[in-house]
Amino acid sequence: MDWLVYLSIHFNIKNPMQAIIIATSLPFGTIPSYFHHMGRAFTLIGYKVIIVLDDCPSKMPQNEPNLIFEKWPSHRPTKWKDYKFFMKLLKRERPVMCLSNFGATNMVTFCSYLRGVPVRWNYIHTLSSQIESDTHRTIISRFRDYRKNFIYSKMKRFLTNAEGTKNDAVAKFGIAPQKIDVGSYLIKESELIYKSKQERAPHITLVGRFNDSKGHSKFLEQFEQLLEQFPSIILNLIGTGPLEEKLKIQCMKQGIQESVNFVGYIPNDEIGAYFSNSLLGISSSYYEAFGIVNIESLREGTPILCTKTSGSLDILEPAHNGEFFDILEQDELLKYFEKIYSNWENYSLGALDSFNRKYSLESLDSRILEYDQRIKEEL
């Protein structure tokens, strides 16, 4: 451990010694925004926080009291110049903790291990099964698994979004369960005015990249059956991806193209408006670590209809905020749509209740105090 860090810990000298580095992206999506809010919350309990941004943004956020923004030299921190940059940053700031995720994990972990940063955390976002479903197994992917095992062995603690993701990490990488803390993403409360059932359009909304793991094709088969009983329903498909043209052709073959709205990409801050005007939020994934769009749906008082995945098992409360359905069983979508639709008001109130209890950003302060205690225990 760096001797200055040691002195700062044992003599309670918090500034400027007790620094935290968080590697993430600009706050344009729900997940990176969560890490920016986390950084600000740490400053409120006495830490200096440095947020290191990927993708080389041309316009950097403005520094705030005890919150400093830096950026990697490369779009993705994998090069020698990124190593030199981060080692220099570690020498300058002498952080007590580094939190990495996504593409910065390898560089942040390797450098912070070499520099003896005492608390090294990583946020695990995605199921290994989901990655394998959307990619092909090759020698390179096996090498990446080996590399990830090595990197994970240098971590002190992991954060993740759901119990299923935790169980997956334990099974896939042999991480001790007690080293993984589960805490879902937290998001701001809605700025939109709540709409009653009568004020909403007859829409259901599915947000997700057009990949095999998201289950769009099988969902469209069941949606055709739903239209036989509810012909006025419109399905909003928000997202892009390699299967987009194939799905459009499938809609034409099924004769449902007039009832399916391929919205394309929309900014994250506009997704709430779609859910606010919809009767249901849909998740048809085969694999999903968390499914953040589900809590974005709940935030607007929009019940959710989901396949059973590791993420939805944590979020969905049957007969309260939504229902599960089996994407491989015919008539399941129709069956549970009818159940929610006939009692929509109660499900909608349940959706709001679930969001306020479990996913509102208002509960971030108490979570940060728990993390602060974890940091102190690991120093």
Side-chain angles (χ1 to χ4, degrees):
M1 183 188 300
D2 189 298
W3 70 274
L4 285 173
V5 172
Y6 178 87
L7 289 177
S8 71
I9 295 164
H10 289 274
F11 290 94
N12 197 31
I13 305 171
K14 277 209 167 183
N15 288 312
M17 294 309 172
Q18 286 198 328
I20 291 174
I21 294 179
I22 300 175
T24 185
S25 306
L26 285 170
F28 291 149
T30 302
I31 295 174
S33 292
Y34 172 63
F35 288 100
H36 284 253
H37 288 301
M38 184 185 292
R40 289 186 178 88
F42 272 120
T43 68
L44 296 178
I45 59 171
Y47 288 96
K48 177 183 179 181
V49 176
I50 302 93
I51 295 181
V52 184
L53 302 170
D54 54 24
D55 290 332
C56 286
S58 57
K59 186 176 181 180
M60 294 285 287
Q62 187 173 353
N63 291 338
E64 303 172 20
N66 293 323
L67 181 63
I68 308 300
F69 294 95
E70 300 278 358
K71 64 179 177 179
W72 296 100
S74 307
H75 281 272
R76 186 178 175 89
T78 59
K79 298 180 173 58
W80 175 249
K81 60 184 178 180
D82 300 303
Y83 169 82
K84 292 194 295 182
F85 157 79
F86 200 65
M87 291 296 280
K88 183 178 179 181
L89 182 65
L90 292 174
K91 183 178 180 180
R92 185 187 82 198
E93 299 295 343
R94 298 184 176 91
V96 294
M97 193 262 273
C98 286
L99 173 60
S100 61
N101 64 104
F102 289 131
T105 295
N106 295 342
M107 186 65 73
V108 170
T109 306
F110 182 68
C111 292
S112 58
Y113 175 75
L114 290 180
R115 288 289 304 178
V117 176
V119 182
R120 301 181 297 277
W121 290 3
N122 174 252
Y123 201 107
I124 301 175
H125 298 271
T126 309
L127 293 169
S128 59
S129 54
Q130 185 176 353
I131 296 172
E132 291 167 2
S133 172
D134 292 333
T135 59
H136 298 290
R137 296 293 290 167
T138 64
I139 293 175
I140 293 176
S141 65
R142 292 187 181 93
F143 166 75
R144 287 173 178 163
D145 283 347
Y146 174 82
R147 182 180 62 187
K148 183 170 284 189
N149 271 296
F150 174 77
I151 290 294
Y152 279 1
S153 72
K154 307 306 176 188
M155 295 289 182
K156 290 293 187 72
R157 182 162 297 279
F158 298 84
L159 309 179
T160 194
N161 45 34
E163 287 291 337
T165 319
K166 174 181 178 177
N167 296 336
D168 178 76
V170 170
K172 177 72 174 180
F173 301 107
I175 302 171
Q178 64 270 23
K179 292 180 67 175
I180 307 177
D181 288 346
V182 177
S184 67
Y185 310 115
L186 303 176
I187 61 177
K188 287 183 176 181
E189 295 182 357
S190 179
E191 297 178 356
L192 302 173
I193 297 174
Y194 172 80
K195 291 184 178 181
S196 67
K197 182 180 180 181
Q198 291 73 25
E199 293 173 311
R200 299 184 181 221
H203 290 181
I204 61 177
T205 295
L206 193 165
V207 181
R209 183 167 171 77
F210 298 139
N211 281 335
D212 288 327
S213 68
K214 299 298 184 180
H216 291 89
S217 180
K218 282 294 182 182
F219 180 79
L220 288 173
E221 293 177 11
Q222 291 208 30
F223 181 61
E224 183 179 354
Q225 294 178 316
L226 178 68
L227 288 173
E228 293 175 5
Q229 299 297 321
F230 296 89
S232 64
I233 295 294
I234 299 294
L235 169 62
N236 295 316
L237 290 180
I238 298 176
T240 60
L243 299 181
E244 182 171 354
E245 290 305 314
K246 183 177 179 180
L247 293 172
K248 288 179 178 178
I249 292 171
Q250 178 180 342
C251 287
M252 288 188 284
K253 287 182 177 179
Q254 292 180 222
I256 60 173
Q257 67 273 17
E258 297 301 319
S259 299
V260 181
N261 177 24
F262 283 85
V263 179
Y265 166 80
I266 63 171
N268 181 262
D269 59 4
E270 296 179 15
I271 289 175
Y274 277 87
F275 282 128
S276 176
N277 198 42
S278 296
L279 297 172
L280 282 181
I282 304 291
S283 176
S284 60
S285 298
Y286 295 110
Y287 313 100
E288 194 74 71
F290 184 70
I292 200 161
V293 295
N294 290 327
I295 66 173
E296 291 174 323
S297 181
L298 298 178
R299 176 175 61 181
E300 307 303 335
T302 305
I304 52 177
L305 190 55
C306 303
T307 50
K308 287 186 178 180
T309 65
S310 72
S312 65
L313 286 169
D314 278 13
I315 298 171
L316 196 148
E317 301 171 57
H320 184 63
N321 65 11
E323 296 292 343
F324 290 111
F325 79 107
D326 189 336
I327 199 171
L328 300 178
E329 291 290 332
Q330 296 296 316
D331 298 324
E332 284 265 306
L333 174 62
L334 175 60
K335 174 183 176 181
Y336 288 105
F337 177 88
E338 288 180 322
K339 183 176 182 180
I340 296 173
Y341 188 78
S342 63
N343 196 23
W344 188 89
E345 288 80 5
N346 286 336
Y347 278 99
S348 179
L349 291 175
L352 291 171
D353 171 68
S354 296
F355 174 79
N356 290 327
R357 281 189 292 110
K358 299 166 65 176
Y359 306 113
S360 172
L361 196 62
E362 295 297 315
S363 60
L364 179 61
D365 290 346
S366 60
R367 181 177 294 181
I368 290 299
L369 291 175
E370 294 175 8
Y371 290 163
D372 179 47
Q373 185 59 38
R374 290 284 198 188
I375 292 170
K376 287 178 169 62
E377 291 170 358
E378 294 180 17
L379 290 174

